[in-house]
């Protein structure tokens, strides 16, 4: 069931859309798609694109993507040892 994704999208889109009240929903979603660099048909736009774009919309360009941040390691050696199971959490 995708209810949790719908709820997450609504939670993310609501405050962003309030900042641009002159746009209707389709116009706002199109604006988000354009910002995200999406070039396909609006009907094919996935919720993942919207969710990740809304999460990262005001973030610094160097900030880690949500979902990948949990696996981030400061140095390559530690990341390699953790991936090989030498270092346990």
């Amino acid at each position: 069931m995708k209810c949790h994704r719908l709820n997450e999208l609504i939670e993310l889109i609501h405050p962003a859309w309030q900042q641009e009240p002159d746009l209707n929903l389709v116009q706002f979603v199109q604006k988000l798609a354009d910002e995200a660099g999406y070039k396909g048909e609006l009907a094919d736009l996935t919720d993942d694109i919207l969710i990740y774009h809304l999460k990262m919309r005001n973030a610094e360009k160097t900030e880690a993507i949500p979902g990948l941040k949990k696996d981030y390691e400061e140095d390559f050696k530690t990341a390699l040892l953790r991936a090989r199971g030498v270092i346990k959490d």
Side-chain angles (χ1 to χ4, degrees):
M1 189 172 238
K2 295 186 178 185
C3 289
H4 69 282
R5 293 168 69 103
L6 176 62
N7 291 336
E8 183 177 14
L9 183 57
I10 290 170
E11 287 175 18
L12 291 167
I13 207 167
H14 186 257
W17 190 16
Q18 284 183 325
Q19 294 176 1
E20 309 214 26
D22 55 319
L23 300 178
N24 67 43
L25 180 59
V26 174
Q27 291 171 326
F28 186 66
V29 170
Q30 181 66 59
K31 180 179 179 173
L32 292 174
D34 293 342
E35 287 176 5
Y38 181 76
K39 302 292 183 204
E41 295 292 321
L42 195 57
D44 297 326
L45 181 67
T46 64
D47 52 343
D48 288 332
I49 292 172
L50 291 172
I51 289 170
Y52 279 106
H53 179 65
L54 285 164
K55 284 183 177 182
M56 299 298 294
R57 191 173 189 209
N58 297 320
E60 294 292 324
K61 296 286 183 195
T62 57
E63 191 171 326
I65 296 171
L68 298 179
K69 195 174 194 174
K70 64 179 175 54
D71 297 326
Y72 179 76
E73 293 290 344
E74 284 292 326
D75 65 289
F76 180 74
K77 182 180 177 183
T78 303
L80 189 60
L81 292 173
R82 192 175 308 281
R84 289 186 176 169
V86 175
I87 299 175
K88 306 284 186 202
D89 288 331

